[in-house]
Amino acid sequence: MSKILYYDTSCGISGDMNLGALVDVGVEFLFLKSELDKLGLNNEFTLTCKQILKQGIKSTKIDVLPNANILSYRNFTDIKKILNESKLSEFCKQKAKNIFEKIAAAEAKIHGKNVEDVHFHEVGAIDSIVDIVGACICIEHLKVDEIISSKVELGGGNVECEHGILSVPTPAVCEILKSVPVSIGKADFELTTPTGAAILKEFASKFCDKAYFCIEKIGYGAGSKEAEFPNVLRVMLCNNDNACQNYQKLIQTNIDDMDAEGLAFACELLLENGALDVFSRSVFMKKGRIGLELNVLCKIQDCNKLKELIFKHTSSIGVREIDVLKTELRREFVTVRSKFGEIKLKISNFGNQNLKLKPEFDDCKLAAKKYDTTLNIVKKEILKQYDEVRNSKK
């Protein structure tokens, strides 16, 4: 069984909405507060939690109230120092640094500065530090296997910030969410903030509006603004038994005027840049020409990037895109110790059954060369050792 955290961001996402939703879905507020004490900044803020209604939807509202006489901003170096010196888990330290780095890189690019020199005014303030670190604490505590998000709604209108009045979506949000499916215009105010965007970009493995799972718990995090719709972030704790179904993209193009070596190079680049699978097959084209149909399977958010690579590195001048529903068995990897060394074994599961066992080819190849034996002998030995260990535990 796989545990999934699904983000419904049809009304956007901000740091405080995210904290509210994660507490509402099951993270104890007192646990969150005690973990945030490990930052060593508890003299700078007060964290509050309350239940409110947003257009009739009961939601959790988390507020970070800055105490008097504290720093109004910090730079990226200051924030990394705070995280490194904290008593947070290594997971939280690293994930929080990754999120801040995403925001710093966006701001640096927009304003023509070095990442380390970026001064976080809004983001470096204590409320954003708490929002980001709190998100890492909650997600680690929930122990989910995968995080999925819907398309992200950004809002509209204008927002006032340190650099004046900017149109929504702001430049930082656009930079952070490049390659992510988004929509705009649901409201005349900002629905997705840089903090919310960076948290989502760090944790979500994919962004799609079609997914299959069984819902276990639902949480709602309240935003600050009022609208004609409930200004809430909804998160769902779900499970996905047995086979996993996901919507993906299949990119196809026919090629009849390119040499095989060049096509092989293009296929390597596609796989290195996120393609889940690349394959080709012979086809008869117009006027009896023999060509190849190139097929590239990918996540929806990687489609545009891979199309650019196809146009750049092949002779194609047009591609087809097909939405496909992929069903795959759950899989896990274990390391088997044998007389040929340690070799990974891929196990495909259906429920409690191990339907398929496959030693990893690259590991077996290295072992066969090292011990001057055959691939078949190595594979049989690994499967034998795995069965012996499994049977000894029954």
Side-chain angles (χ1 to χ4, degrees):
M1 181 184 297
S2 178
K3 192 174 180 182
I4 297 169
L5 180 64
Y6 182 80
Y7 274 81
D8 173 6
T9 55
S10 57
C11 297
I13 178 173
S14 62
D16 59 333
M17 291 170 74
N18 181 58
L19 274 189
L22 294 174
V23 167
D24 203 52
V25 86
V27 178
E28 291 289 339
F29 178 64
L30 291 179
F31 168 78
L32 174 61
K33 285 186 67 176
S34 67
E35 288 296 300
L36 284 169
D37 287 345
K38 295 177 180 179
L39 262 176
L41 301 176
N42 45 330
N43 64 323
E44 294 192 18
F45 68 94
T46 302
L47 196 67
T48 66
C49 176
K50 60 184 177 182
Q51 294 286 312
I52 65 171
L53 289 177
K54 302 293 285 187
Q55 291 287 57
I57 302 295
K58 188 177 76 169
S59 314
T60 296
K61 183 75 174 76
I62 299 285
D63 285 304
V64 183
L65 307 177
N67 296 337
N69 301 319
I70 63 168
L71 284 174
S72 61
Y73 66 85
R74 293 177 169 94
N75 62 28
F76 189 36
T77 301
D78 296 330
I79 291 170
K80 286 192 293 184
K81 185 173 185 292
I82 290 171
L83 293 171
N84 288 332
E85 293 177 355
S86 74
K87 297 179 182 178
L88 294 164
S89 70
E90 288 304 314
F91 174 91
C92 291
K93 288 180 183 179
Q94 188 57 55
K95 289 295 184 180
K97 282 188 277 190
N98 292 349
I99 294 167
F100 277 110
E101 187 170 11
K102 284 177 171 57
I103 302 170
E107 295 285 359
K109 182 174 180 180
I110 291 163
H111 302 299
K113 295 183 177 181
N114 293 323
V115 170
E116 298 294 336
D117 296 332
V118 170
H119 278 238
F120 295 119
H121 294 272
E122 292 89 350
V123 177
I126 188 63
D127 54 341
S128 292
I129 294 173
V130 172
D131 287 342
I132 289 171
V133 174
C136 300
I137 291 168
C138 291
I139 287 173
E140 182 182 31
H141 182 67
L142 289 172
K143 293 181 171 62
V144 295
D145 299 303
E146 186 177 18
I147 297 176
I148 303 173
S149 174
S150 69
K151 176 177 62 180
V152 187
E153 171 61 41
L154 305 184
N158 299 298
V159 63
E160 187 173 351
C161 65
E162 181 70 22
H163 304 287
I165 297 175
L166 298 175
S167 61
V168 174
T170 61
V173 169
C174 292
E175 188 67 31
I176 293 166
L177 292 180
K178 283 195 304 188
S179 81
V180 171
V182 300
S183 58
I184 60 174
K186 185 170 185 174
D188 61 354
F189 56 87
E190 184 179 48
L191 288 174
T192 294
T193 65
T195 299
I199 291 170
L200 203 58
K201 188 70 178 288
E202 174 63 22
F203 285 110
S205 62
K206 56 190 171 188
F207 296 81
C208 57
D209 289 319
K210 296 178 181 179
Y212 290 85
F213 42 65
C214 297
I215 301 172
E216 291 185 345
K217 290 183 179 180
I218 305 169
Y220 294 92
S224 301
K225 297 289 184 70
E226 296 297 333
E228 296 178 352
F229 54 87
N231 181 23
V232 296
L233 170 66
R234 178 168 61 177
V235 300
M236 295 180 277
L237 272 178
C238 316
N239 67 65
N240 196 339
D241 289 330
N242 305 327
C244 174
Q245 291 186 310
N246 293 303
Y247 274 95
Q248 297 172 351
K249 284 282 189 183
L250 182 64
I251 311 170
Q252 294 181 332
T253 186
N254 294 349
I255 297 172
D256 67 351
D257 56 351
M258 186 174 178
D259 65 85
E261 291 174 334
L263 183 60
F265 175 64
C267 292
E268 286 180 17
L269 289 175
L270 291 166
L271 288 167
E272 290 171 0
N273 284 273
L276 302 173
D277 197 7
V278 178
F279 61 96
S280 60
R281 54 192 169 203
S282 297
V283 292
F284 281 100
M285 300 172 59
K286 291 184 296 184
K287 300 178 181 178
R289 294 196 300 267
I290 296 176
L292 289 173
E293 180 187 80
L294 176 65
N295 293 266
V296 181
L297 185 68
C298 65
K299 295 177 181 178
I300 293 172
Q301 63 264 33
D302 292 331
C303 185
N304 289 337
K305 174 178 64 175
L306 294 175
K307 283 191 296 183
E308 288 180 11
L309 287 174
I310 291 172
F311 288 132
K312 182 177 180 180
H313 294 284
T314 76
S315 58
S316 173
I317 58 173
V319 300
R320 302 178 293 277
E321 294 177 41
I322 303 169
D323 289 322
V324 295
L325 178 60
K326 182 181 177 182
T327 303
E328 59 184 357
L329 294 178
R330 290 288 167 195
R331 59 195 72 178
E332 61 177 317
F333 290 89
V334 297
T335 300
V336 179
R337 292 181 178 177
S338 73
K339 62 184 181 182
F340 298 120
E342 293 187 346
I343 293 179
K344 292 186 182 67
L345 179 70
K346 181 166 65 177
I347 305 171
S348 299
N349 300 308
F350 188 84
N352 294 323
Q353 292 180 298
N354 293 340
L355 284 189
K356 302 178 190 297
L357 304 173
K358 184 181 179 183
E360 282 295 282
F361 173 76
D362 287 340
D363 289 353
C364 292
K365 182 177 71 172
L366 290 173
K369 286 182 176 180
K370 181 177 179 180
Y371 292 94
D372 191 24
T373 186
T374 67
L375 280 171
N376 195 39
I377 290 174
V378 174
K379 290 178 181 179
K380 285 183 177 179
E381 176 65 19
I382 298 308
L383 294 174
K384 176 186 171 185
Q385 288 296 321
Y386 175 75
D387 283 337
E388 288 178 357
V389 171
R390 184 174 58 174
N391 291 332
S392 68
K393 294 180 179 179
K394 289 182 179 179

